[in-house]
Amino acid sequence: MTTHEGVGTALGAGDNAPLNNRVHHVRSGELDGCGAISGGTVGSKKLWMGLVENPPLSATDNHHHGDSEAGIYVVSGHPVFVYHDGIQEVRLAADPGDFFLVPPFVPHREENPDPNEPAVVVIARTTQEPIKVSVPELYQRKEPETQ
């Protein structure tokens, strides 16, 4: 095995697109906002991945991620993921180490009810760039009927 220390790939002004025949390393100090892996940072074609921190006593708006699936890993804190099951809001409380899957077009929101500790999560989406579509309220996503 060959180890190369200190080789990063985050794009800067004037850089060409990164090569797609090697592994890319994005260090924590090189994040593009919250995005680490995207078309803009490493030339990803189908994947977006980033780190998101929700401050204490915060909540996102109601939203979905279009046709992108979202996989979520809880790094620290105790976020709550809220969606609608067709009858009522469902609240899923998380602990560090938990994983979640948010299917395409499913309206949801993330909350951090803790008054002191931020909630930190890693998110991976099946599109190279983040998609966030705000919606006025949570509702159950209906599967399209096939004929």
Side-chain angles (χ1 to χ4, degrees), residues 106-117:
V106 172
H108 63 282
R109 75 175 169 265
E110 298 91 35
E111 299 178 354
N112 180 9
D114 191 291
N116 301 308
E117 184 180 10

Side-chain angles (χ1 to χ4, degrees), residues 58-100:
S58 67
T60 67
D61 62 340
N62 299 322
H63 64 278
H64 64 76
H65 300 290
D67 62 359
S68 177
E69 288 183 316
I72 302 163
Y73 173 74
V74 179
V75 176
S76 62
H78 300 279
V80 176
F81 296 87
V82 185
Y83 73 99
H84 202 284
D85 69 1
I87 298 170
Q88 63 187 1
E89 282 189 3
V90 176
R91 302 176 63 79
L92 301 173
D95 293 315
D98 289 353
F99 287 86
F100 290 88

Side-chain angles (χ1 to χ4, degrees), residues 15-82:
D15 287 341
N16 293 325
L19 299 174
N20 284 322
N21 64 351
R22 63 186 178 95
V23 173
H24 297 273
H25 180 189
V26 179
R27 296 179 186 280
S28 61
E30 299 172 335
L31 296 180
D32 179 17
C34 64
I37 297 172
S38 69
T41 59
V42 296
S44 174
K45 303 288 185 212
K46 298 180 182 179
L47 177 68
W48 182 93
M49 195 169 182
L51 183 71
V52 175
E53 181 175 319
N54 293 318
L57 298 175
S58 67
T60 67
D61 62 340
N62 299 322
H63 64 278
H64 64 76
H65 300 290
D67 62 359
S68 177
E69 288 183 316
I72 302 163
Y73 173 74
V74 179
V75 176
S76 62
H78 300 279
V80 176
F81 296 87
V82 185

